[in-house]
């Protein structure tokens, strides 16, 4: 009989008691998770995270005392192994991009299904970004102030000059919302080769995950927001 994997330790941070309790009640019955605490504002979330050392913080973005963006930035700086999954009532809230910049590993709207919430926590815990590609590109297209279209050679991110042509193409396709399998199909290479290219471009761009890489693509002018 195989030993069960350790439960993912989760801290829930939301200023609304009913939301906190609802999230806890969704997660607690699942043996994959252990809800180790609840916080009612960002300051308390940071304090509890340092004391309880959760694997994942499910973080509301709009909270008093210290908002979720500032709390996320503090956790990314002081507890880099603690992953933050940001939540918001509004899936086009400008706080979302700010949270990703601050170090959140993903974003979900608060009306997400219990199954998708559980899957997202597992994904974030594994070190991957959990923002749905369509939502991520829509958020960035709406809220990131991308430069005016420029010649392909003019890149605003200095490190981008060090990318190989293959890495640059993977970066572009990633920014349009394609997953690794779709990128592999588009470039006629294997998914493992795509993964290797992504590892290389993450290191060269000095970004932690897919979400930050897509933000960098918009801010560099590699991809420009399409108008509604």
């Amino acid at each position: 009989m195989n030993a069960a994997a350790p439960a993912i330790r989760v801290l829930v941070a939301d200023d609304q008691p009913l939301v906190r309790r609802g999230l806890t009640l969704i997660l607690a019955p699942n043996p994959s998770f252990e809800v180790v605490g609840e916080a009612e504002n960002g300051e308390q979330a940071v304090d509890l995270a340092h004391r309880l050392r959760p694997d994942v913080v499910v973080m509301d973005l709009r909270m008093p005392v210290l908002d979720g963006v500032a709390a996320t930035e503090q956790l990314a700086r002081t507890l880099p192994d603690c992953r933050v999954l940001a939540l918001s009532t509004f899936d086009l809230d400008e706080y979302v991009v700010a949270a990703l910049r601050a170090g959140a590993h993903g974003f979900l709207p608060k009306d997400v299904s219990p199954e998708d919430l559980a899957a997202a926590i597992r994904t974030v815990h594994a070190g991957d970004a959990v923002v749905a590609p369509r939502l991520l590109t829509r958020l960035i297209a709406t809220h990131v102030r991308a430069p005016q279209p420029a010649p392909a050679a003019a890149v605003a991110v200095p490190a981008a000059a060090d990318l190989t042509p293959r890495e640059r193409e993977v970066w572009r396709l990633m920014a349009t919302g394609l997953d690794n399998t779709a990128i592999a199909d588009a470039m006629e290479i294997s998914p493992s080769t795509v993964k290797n290219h992504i590892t290389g471009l993450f290191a060269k761009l000095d970004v932690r995950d897919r979400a930050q890489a897509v933000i960098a693509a918009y801010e560099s002018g590699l991809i420009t927001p399409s108008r509604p």
Side-chain angles (χ1 to χ4, degrees), residues 95-107 131 136 208 211-212 215:
Y95 277 14
V96 176
V97 170
L100 295 175
R101 285 200 186 107
H105 284 74
F107 164 79
V131 184
L136 179 61
R208 188 198 55 245
Q212 291 188 346
I215 289 173

Side-chain angles (χ1 to χ4, degrees), residues 32-127:
S32 298
F33 307 113
E34 178 188 359
V35 179
V36 296
E38 298 179 13
E40 63 184 23
N41 58 60
E43 185 177 89
Q44 191 177 80
V46 172
D47 178 63
L48 286 177
H50 278 86
R51 290 198 282 120
L52 302 174
R53 298 301 172 106
D55 299 307
V56 176
V57 178
V58 178
M59 181 87 74
D60 182 27
L61 294 183
R62 294 178 180 267
M63 291 188 291
V65 184
L66 187 71
D67 68 25
V69 174
T72 296
E73 190 279 330
Q74 288 192 27
L75 290 177
R77 178 165 40 83
T78 60
L79 288 179
D81 291 335
C82 178
R83 314 280 181 176
V84 174
L85 174 61
L87 297 183
S88 176
T89 303
F90 306 102
D91 65 2
L92 288 178
D93 193 327
E94 64 273 15
Y95 277 14
V96 176
V97 170
L100 295 175
R101 285 200 186 107
H105 284 74
F107 164 79
L108 290 177
K110 281 191 178 179
D111 61 359
V112 65
S113 71
E115 295 78 16
D116 286 345
L117 174 64
I121 292 173
R122 291 190 185 95
T123 300
V124 166
H125 179 247

Side-chain angles (χ1 to χ4, degrees), residues 145-170:
R145 295 183 179 279
Q148 293 299 314
V155 179
V157 178
D162 296 330
L163 297 180
T164 67
R166 280 288 180 94
E167 288 170 343
R168 188 176 178 81
E169 180 63 6
V170 167

Side-chain angles (χ1 to χ4, degrees), residues 4-30:
I8 299 171
R9 294 168 56 81
V10 180
L11 173 66
V12 175
D14 196 291
D15 64 325
Q16 299 180 43
L18 286 177
V19 174
R20 288 200 307 275
R21 180 49 46 188
L23 291 171
T24 297
L25 290 174
I26 286 171
L27 299 173
N30 191 324

